[in-house]
Amino acid sequence: MEERLQKFLAEAGVASRRKAEELIAQGKVKVNGKVVTEMGMKIDPAKDEVTYLDKKVSKKDTKMVYIMLYKPEGYVTTAKEQFGRPAVVDLIKGVNERIFPVGRLDYDTSGLLLLTNDGDLTYKLTHPKHDVDKTYIAKLYGIPDEGALQKFRRGVVIDGVRTKPAKIQIIDKEKDGRFCTAEIIIHEGRNRQVRKMCEAIKHPVAQLKRVATGDLKLGDLQKGKYRHLTEKEIKYLKKL
């Protein structure tokens, strides 16, 4: 049965579907010994031989890995980075499969980050149409008034585009009014979105942590540590 090459690569654990498209465009993928660079090519896994960097790719040989990491501040969520800063994958030990982060967390943001080699799941979880809730605890400068909170909830314009409606509630205030703690829930995953939204209401983020993705919660996982997801959690993610 034929399927698109990038989808096959994602399901075989090579990379997320978007990243697989980049790998194809870069000429790193061959089908039956020939480099393929055009998007949308269909292959028959039962008949065609696919290689990435000249290594055969097969779904049969792929063990799927699903990990929840409590990302510390000071780590990037890309595999390699021009400034040589430490990457989240450096925190994962004893996993032979090539895993990659599901979405991103900023360098200076901590919290729940999923890593997997299931490229198809990554594609679904990061695609805008799926609207997976992401919950954050943010320490903000100052205390937003009700007008600022309502503005945040309706959506604000960042980078020239209005965000979707979001949720925010103040859960703690410092007596001197210098800082407050807020729970924030967004559906999108735009670059530094929570920080930019808070800047738009004139209450910038001092500290930010993601505590949940959908119904998956960080719980008592310690910073810098990780665990493999349970079968129940994996099924939940695939149903989203």
Side-chain angles (χ1 to χ4, degrees), residues 144-155:
D145 60 20
E146 190 57 32
L149 294 175
Q150 288 300 337
K151 180 181 177 182
F152 188 100
R153 290 167 182 148
R154 287 193 299 267

Side-chain angles (χ1 to χ4, degrees), residues 107-122:
Y107 178 76
D108 45 4
T109 299
S110 66
L112 191 158
L113 182 68
L114 299 176
L115 297 101
T116 183
N117 59 342
D118 188 336
D120 207 41
L121 178 64
T122 300

